[in-house]
Amino acid sequence: MKVGVLALQGDVEEHLEAFRRAAAELNISAEVVRVKRADQLDGLSALAIPGGESTTIGKLAQRLGILDRLRTVVESGVPTLATCAGAVLLAKEVSDAIVGPTGQPLLAVLNAAVVRNAYGRQRDSFEANVDVEGVGTVRAVFIRAPIFAKTWPPARAIAHVDHPRAGRAIAAVRQDHVLATAFHPELTTTAFHKAVLEMAAGRL
Ligand code: GLN
């Protein structure tokens, strides 16, 4: 199968590597490709949208004329993993913890309201062990991470994290074939990449 990583900005290489390792661990033969143009979305069995800076990724996608096609691909049921800024991009409602409504370009397919930079600044980044329904316990790295303030069906929370200031916050969401995380699984585990590959292979 062909598996794509949106490669406009952010930690693209880590996602390419995580997909390669996940495919090897599952004995699935996968060609893992960078996606920078709309035509590179054709024929994908699974997709990852990396973390980085959601405003930058969204604006680049818009300028390159790939934003609408990307939305269609996710809506069409291609198993998708969106991490951190990628999850922001997927959400239907986005605000920033300090500046409020951002008006940034969005895919707006995930039934979730997201608050960007909800744990504070770069130095407030942290790690925690997180139990993820259907995935297991993972080491989660939160880097200027968002919080899912709200989800509504068919999206639902599949992981939470307890934070000294923010309290109990949603850390991961599933909506049908879409997995969205506030943290960066590509840095510590292949579990999420395996989950979307298994969805693509019809095993999950
Ligand atoms: N704060 C970034 C944003 O909202 C996300 C950070 C990240 O992807 N690590 O776009």
Side-chain angles (χ1 to χ4, degrees):
M1 63 173 76
K2 196 166 104 178
V3 174
V5 175
L6 185 66
L8 302 180
Q9 190 265 340
D11 66 338
V12 175
E13 298 306 315
E14 288 80 355
H15 275 279
L16 292 167
E17 187 52 31
F19 262 145
R20 287 190 194 112
R21 291 215 324 270
E25 286 164 18
L26 290 171
N27 257 318
I28 289 175
S29 136
E31 183 198 354
V32 187
V33 299
R34 291 178 180 75
V35 173
K36 295 186 180 196
R37 299 188 316 264
D39 62 287
Q40 292 166 329
L41 287 163
D42 292 344
L44 288 187
S45 296
L47 174 70
I49 307 179
E53 198 54 51
S54 57
T55 311
T56 306
I57 300 173
K59 282 185 180 165
L60 281 171
Q62 205 167 42
R63 193 180 311 155
L64 295 166
I66 192 177
L67 195 69
D68 293 337
R69 176 85 182 94
L70 205 48
R71 183 179 299 116
T72 311
V73 166
V74 178
E75 277 176 337
S76 76
V78 172
T80 299
L81 172 61
T83 63
C84 203
V88 173
L89 216 53
L90 276 198
K92 287 196 174 161
E93 295 175 16
V94 175
S95 64
D96 180 272
I98 292 168
V99 304
T102 60
Q104 66 192 99
L106 297 172
L107 294 173
V109 293
L110 182 70
N111 286 359
V114 166
V115 180
R116 289 177 61 180
N117 305 312
Y119 297 100
R121 306 160 74 97
Q122 186 75 18
R123 65 162 188 270
D124 299 311
S125 298
F126 64 101
E127 291 187 30
N129 288 339
V130 172
D131 293 324
V132 187
E133 187 190 317
V135 174
T137 303
V138 299
R139 186 76 184 156
V141 182
F142 295 80
I143 304 169
R144 285 186 307 116
I147 282 181
F148 299 97
K150 187 172 77 173
T151 63
W152 56 97
R156 63 193 177 82
I158 56 167
H160 292 82
V161 63
D162 291 306
H163 185 268
R165 262 185 300 109
R168 190 166 171 75
I170 301 174
V173 169
R174 176 162 185 176
Q175 177 176 311
D176 303 320
H177 58 285
V178 175
L179 293 176
T181 64
F183 53 91
H184 285 270
E186 71 282 6
L187 299 180
T188 56
T189 175
T190 52
F192 281 84
H193 296 78
K194 281 202 261 194
V196 288
L197 290 182
E198 289 194 288
M199 284 184 216
R203 294 191 204 157
L204 206 72

